[in-house]
Amino acid sequence: MLYGENGFPRSAETFTKKQVWKMSDQDTNQEANEVPEEVLDTVANDEAVEDQVEETGVDAEQEEDERLDVQVEVNEVGACERHVIVTVSAADIEKYKDEAYSDLMPKAQIPGFRIGRAPRKLVESRFKSDVVDQVKGSLIMDAMTQVTDEQDFSAISEPDFNFEAVQMPEDGDLTFEFNVEVRPEFDMPEWKGLDLEKVVHEYSDEEVDNRATELLQRYGDVEEVEGAIEAGDTVNVSIEFKDGDDVASTFSEQNVIVRGNLSFADGSIEGFGDLVIGASAGDSKDTTAKLSESLDDEELAGKEYTAAVTINSVKRTSAPELTPEFLQEVGGFESEEDLKNAVREELERQLNYHQQQRTRGQITELLTAEANWELPPQLLRRQSQRELQRSILELQASGFPDEEIRRHINRLQQNLLGSTEKALKEHFILERIAEQNDLEATPEDIEREILIIAMQQQTSPRRIRAQLEKRGDMDALRNQIIERQAIELITEEANFTETDLPADENEDTFALSGAISGVQPGSRPADEDKPETEEVATEAEAVAEANEEAPADDSPAEEVAEDADTEEEAPEA
Amino acid sequence: MAQSGIQNRQPKSRLVLEPHQVILRPLVTEKGIHRSTRHHQYAFEVNPLADKIMIREAIEALYPNVVVTKVATQNRKGKARRYRYRMGKTKNWKKAIVTLDPNHGEIEFF
């Protein structure tokens, strides 16, 4: 082509100055070679062709993109852990880089050039580090996705992958490695036709009466008592835990109902009842508290502390009289009969929970009996919080009072790892069953579940949902639903024999949520200290709760004690 | 006795500058790229004290295998800059556009 001395074209072809620039760019850029010479002759055609070239370029890339040429080496580290080494071929790296630069070209801003006009070579040298980083990111991401797709292990955790540690080689293959936790492989136990026991119990009038009395106790008159403490009294105590001479923690002015034992988040005072019964306000007692043997923290497990208990005051509640006005006030009951029906209903609902728990316990027992595969401790540790959360959710949905849930947490925390291991195995098995039978939690299921919890807690479903989402518990909820479905499935297939509710195996315990050692087990602190006394529940709450189809209240009287086994509870008869 | 030719050109006060003191930086611009691809011309910021001969020598010293056929220079006046209420000025500088012999080597800026 011909150019004048000033650099402008001088031929019969009509070039504008702008177009000359364009051509010069194309000369320096590789892409320009693909543009047929003659179409450059007119301005109008020029841009259209450029678009075309770009489009075909993208299409071609997408087709090639489908699979990366990766080599994967998987080593089994443990039953649930895999060490994965991935090698991505140099050709793929080149392709990714090429794409990245092509993307960058029209946007690249370099001083001395209009946007997108800088020659490719300059862009490459200028943006090298950025592009390499970006390519590294997308390459690893894609390779990982492909690896997880191709390999048939199902990961349960994010791979512990150190992005910074991966070095992008100047040329040659890219190699990176990571560890990932996978679902353990195990032989599916036979789950059809299990022999299960079903807990049934017909509540007698007497039991209902007892329960009602307990429930009503908080409306009773409260008196300060001067004399000796009896079981069931509410005592206001200050407790100081010492390890040798060091004060580990102090609890001041806690209202405690006198029962056999007093439990904390990480241990308990055994024989607390015996200690204080017979004493009176103003007395001080010394005893020992023992931390649970199965605490997460090995240093603390089983450790003993001396506890100095000071009794500040003693209160005793007497049952209220059941006048019609009183019944109306408590929960709009027409008659004593009405109240008793409500109580019976609640008892039955809790029995229902126990039935479920028991069935589940048995199923777990039977299914995990042969599951002697090992779970890595890190996995247990990480899952333990989730597990805790799950059981709280379950209790909430069944309408157990806060106090009881807290006690449950205390116990779980004391044996966090042990119970988590069991629960995890159960979870894996149930999940497998759910998978095999295409069980899934639909949005409606989740909605319903949230509604139930909301009803139990007297708040709006929206708030519950927000809470769950904020804490990242939606997954826990979903799992729970799926597991329940799996349990139902197993139950359908099982053979039942009926047994009566095991008699009162109550652990006679009152729970406080603080930790003796001063270190709360697990990261999530239990609820605020909220000693359960008659003052805690306001009248308004009480009425509202009593109105609720399933009254869940904070009354200390509504103690459902538990037997020592996990998740096995029996209402106080 | 008057001397002639580059080798002999040794005026009394001739400044002696190293090549890197003559050539300050290449000017990498769109226009520069255009000129280099079409006309084998390369632009540099050069020392304002340097003359065309010094520039030619410096270029040939800095870029091996390159033969300079022509050097064009421009003295660029610094721009007026205002700082608060006072007028300032960016420095004057010299631009050199060096034409290379296409039969020999090229210069790569990047």
Side-chain angles (χ1 to χ4, degrees):
Chain A
M1 266 173 254
L2 298 167
Y3 292 91
E5 265 163 43
N6 54 3
F8 293 138
R10 216 179 40 171
S11 71
E13 299 156 334
T14 50
F15 287 110
T16 61
K17 185 176 180 185
K18 193 177 165 195
Q19 201 187 356
V20 175
W21 286 119
K22 199 168 258 165
M23 288 169 66
S24 83
D25 290 335
Q26 282 157 350
D27 271 2
T28 47
N29 298 350
Q30 313 292 330
E31 291 169 341
N33 301 339
E34 298 161 22
V35 183
E37 194 71 37
E38 66 268 19
V39 287
L40 281 174
D41 290 352
T42 56
V43 180
N45 276 352
D46 194 10
E47 280 172 12
V49 170
E50 260 189 7
D51 286 348
Q52 240 177 37
V53 169
E54 260 176 46
E55 270 170 36
T56 50
V58 169
D59 281 350
E61 271 161 13
Q62 271 172 355
E63 275 164 35
E64 287 168 30
D65 236 1
E66 294 290 311
R67 290 232 94 45
L68 288 170
D69 179 18
V70 286
Q71 284 174 356
V72 190
E73 197 186 323
V74 184
N75 299 321
E76 278 190 34
V77 180
C80 300
E81 218 176 348
R82 297 282 181 282
H83 184 75
V84 185
I85 302 173
V86 183
T87 311
V88 185
S89 75
D92 278 325
I93 301 177
E94 272 319 303
K95 201 172 74 190
Y96 267 67
K97 273 190 188 168
D98 195 57
E99 253 168 63
Y101 285 124
S102 304
D103 281 354
L104 191 61
M105 281 298 294
K107 291 175 296 196
Q109 283 195 43
I110 294 181
F113 296 87
R114 289 170 293 166
I115 292 174
R117 302 296 176 137
R120 188 182 176 101
K121 236 170 128 189
L122 184 61
V123 173
E124 279 177 17
S125 65
R126 186 65 75 100
F127 292 103
K128 191 168 178 195
S129 59
D130 289 355
V131 168
V132 164
D133 257 13
Q134 183 197 329
V135 164
K136 186 170 104 180
S138 51
L139 206 57
I140 288 172
M141 186 82 84
D142 289 357
M144 292 264 238
T145 338
Q146 195 178 321
V147 168
T148 21
D149 283 354
E150 280 173 7
Q151 303 292 321
D152 54 350
F153 55 70
S154 43
I156 40 174
S157 68
E158 291 292 309
D160 70 329
F161 183 69
N162 187 354
F163 187 78
E164 300 300 320
V166 178
Q167 294 280 333
M168 198 72 176
E170 276 296 307
D171 47 19
D173 298 350
L174 168 72
T175 309
F176 60 92
E177 44 196 275
F178 56 90
N179 283 327
V180 68
E181 275 163 1
V182 297
R183 284 192 173 71
E185 283 168 21
F186 53 89
D187 298 329
M188 198 59 194
E190 186 52 51
W191 57 272
K192 283 186 184 170
L194 290 180
D195 293 321
L196 301 179
E197 288 177 352
K198 188 175 189 176
V199 181
V200 283
H201 190 73
E202 200 59 43
Y203 284 101
S204 66
D205 288 347
E206 196 188 339
E207 279 169 317
V208 175
D209 279 353
N210 282 342
R211 184 69 171 173
T213 327
E214 277 172 22
L215 284 175
L216 291 172
Q217 216 169 30
R218 79 162 122 141
Y219 302 108
D221 298 326
V222 182
E223 290 173 281
E224 291 248 345
V225 190
E226 289 296 323
I229 295 170
E230 288 172 16
D233 287 353
T234 306
V235 290
N236 186 302
V237 290
S238 301
I239 309 175
E240 190 175 65
F241 290 105
K242 279 187 177 175
D243 174 23
D245 286 334
D246 303 330
V247 177
S249 60
T250 51
F251 292 79
S252 56
E253 304 276 315
Q254 300 287 337
N255 287 312
V256 170
I257 294 169
V258 176
R259 295 231 171 81
N261 302 318
L262 182 61
S263 87
F264 295 85
D266 55 355
S268 59
I269 301 182
E270 303 284 329
F272 177 76
D274 298 338
L275 185 73
V276 293
I277 287 173
S280 55
D283 285 0
S284 290
K285 297 273 182 181
D286 286 330
T287 183
T288 52
K290 199 172 176 202
L291 299 193
S292 160
E293 295 283 356
S294 41
L295 269 188
D296 200 355
D297 192 335
E298 280 151 21
E299 258 180 53
L300 292 176
K303 196 167 175 181
E304 290 199 355
Y305 288 86
T306 53
V309 182
T310 314
I311 300 163
N312 301 324
S313 64
V314 184
K315 285 173 184 159
R316 189 167 300 161
T317 349
S318 52
E321 243 179 278
L322 295 180
T323 59
E325 295 81 48
F326 176 73
L327 285 172
Q328 198 63 40
E329 195 187 325
V330 169
F333 299 115
E334 293 295 324
S335 63
E336 215 178 313
E337 204 50 42
D338 235 15
L339 171 75
K340 287 193 176 145
N341 282 341
V343 172
R344 186 183 287 273
E345 227 169 71
E346 195 208 314
L347 279 174
E348 269 158 17
R349 199 165 43 78
Q350 293 194 354
L351 173 71
N352 199 11
Y353 173 81
H354 291 300
Q355 263 173 5
Q356 278 176 14
Q357 282 306 317
R358 192 152 177 92
T359 316
R360 186 175 179 140
Q362 288 176 32
I363 291 173
T364 314
E365 200 84 356
L366 290 169
L367 290 185
T368 52
E370 284 168 39
N372 46 9
W373 19 282
E374 277 192 14
L375 294 170
Q378 299 115 304
L379 176 72
L380 286 180
R381 218 152 282 181
R382 219 181 12 244
Q383 294 288 333
S384 56
Q385 281 309 312
R386 192 183 288 179
E387 176 56 27
L388 198 59
Q389 210 51 46
R390 193 189 59 77
S391 49
I392 293 171
L393 270 179
E394 215 167 67
L395 287 166
Q396 279 175 349
S398 303
F400 281 91
D402 278 357
E403 138 79 26
E404 188 154 328
I405 293 174
R406 204 172 58 218
R407 195 165 43 168
H408 193 75
I409 297 172
N410 276 3
R411 226 198 25 233
L412 275 183
Q413 279 180 336
Q414 288 174 12
N415 185 13
L416 208 48
L417 291 191
S419 55
T420 309
E421 179 167 2
K422 208 165 148 196
L424 268 181
K425 284 183 177 176
E426 176 193 338
H427 168 76
F428 286 134
I429 293 172
L430 290 181
E431 198 175 45
R432 180 81 74 86
I433 293 174
E435 214 170 90
Q436 283 173 357
N437 294 284
D438 297 326
L439 301 179
E440 248 178 81
T442 60
E444 294 89 65
D445 287 337
I446 295 172
E447 207 60 51
R448 198 175 325 126
E449 196 68 21
I450 289 176
L451 203 68
I452 291 171
I453 300 177
M455 262 168 54
Q456 304 292 358
Q457 296 193 347
Q458 309 272 328
T459 48
S460 75
R462 266 178 63 194
R463 182 177 299 169
I464 295 286
R465 177 179 273 273
Q467 262 178 23
L468 289 173
E469 269 166 10
K470 200 168 147 204
R471 288 203 303 245
D473 286 345
M474 286 304 272
D475 267 352
L477 190 69
R478 195 166 301 127
N479 280 341
Q480 195 187 324
I481 293 171
I482 291 179
E483 282 177 21
R484 191 173 326 129
Q485 287 174 346
I487 292 272
E488 273 164 23
L489 194 70
I490 296 173
T491 321
E492 276 169 29
E493 303 274 351
N495 312 319
F496 276 104
T497 49
E498 298 199 345
T499 55
D500 195 37
L501 186 70
D504 196 307
E505 307 166 358
N506 297 339
E507 233 192 321
D508 190 13
T509 303
F510 183 82
L512 284 174
S513 61
I516 296 173
S517 58
V519 187
Q520 196 67 241
S523 55
R524 185 182 168 277
D527 296 348
E528 278 284 290
D529 254 14
K530 203 166 62 178
E532 310 298 327
T533 59
E534 62 288 335
E535 292 115 2
V536 171
T538 62
E539 204 66 10
E541 262 176 27
V543 172
E545 277 161 8
N547 277 337
E548 183 60 43
E549 172 220 31
D553 63 27
D554 295 353
S555 154
E558 194 190 348
E559 285 295 314
V560 177
E562 305 131 343
D563 76 42
D565 205 351
T566 320
E567 295 189 337
E568 281 264 8
E569 290 164 34
E572 223 161 354
Chain B
M1 201 171 88
Q3 290 177 329
S4 65
I6 292 172
Q7 288 83 2
N8 303 327
R9 188 178 145 279
Q10 203 64 267
K12 288 153 254 167
S13 63
R14 198 200 170 186
L15 202 59
V16 181
L17 293 174
E18 294 297 319
H20 68 268
Q21 289 174 308
V22 176
I23 308 296
L24 299 181
R25 63 186 182 105
L27 297 173
V28 185
T29 63
E30 207 173 324
K31 188 174 186 174
I33 299 295
H34 175 72
R35 271 201 290 239
S36 66
T37 46
R38 309 276 142 158
H39 310 300
H40 311 287
Q41 290 177 332
Y42 299 86
F44 298 89
E45 181 181 340
V46 297
N47 193 321
L49 297 173
D51 56 29
K52 290 183 177 179
I53 295 157
M54 290 157 84
I55 292 167
R56 173 198 300 265
E57 284 167 1
I59 290 287
E60 287 177 355
L62 285 176
Y63 300 96
N65 306 327
V66 152
V67 173
V68 177
T69 56
K70 181 180 166 188
V71 177
T73 56
Q74 309 163 13
N75 273 305
R76 309 302 311 250
K77 288 269 191 283
K79 294 176 182 177
R81 289 278 181 265
R82 206 178 77 175
Y83 176 72
R84 297 268 167 102
Y85 298 110
R86 307 165 66 181
M87 289 306 284
K89 194 167 155 299
T90 60
K91 69 176 197 286
N92 296 334
W93 58 284
K94 193 175 206 170
K95 182 202 257 185
I97 296 168
V98 178
T99 310
L100 301 185
D101 185 341
N103 300 323
H104 291 80
E106 288 180 358
I107 295 178
E108 290 218 356
F109 284 155
F110 38 80

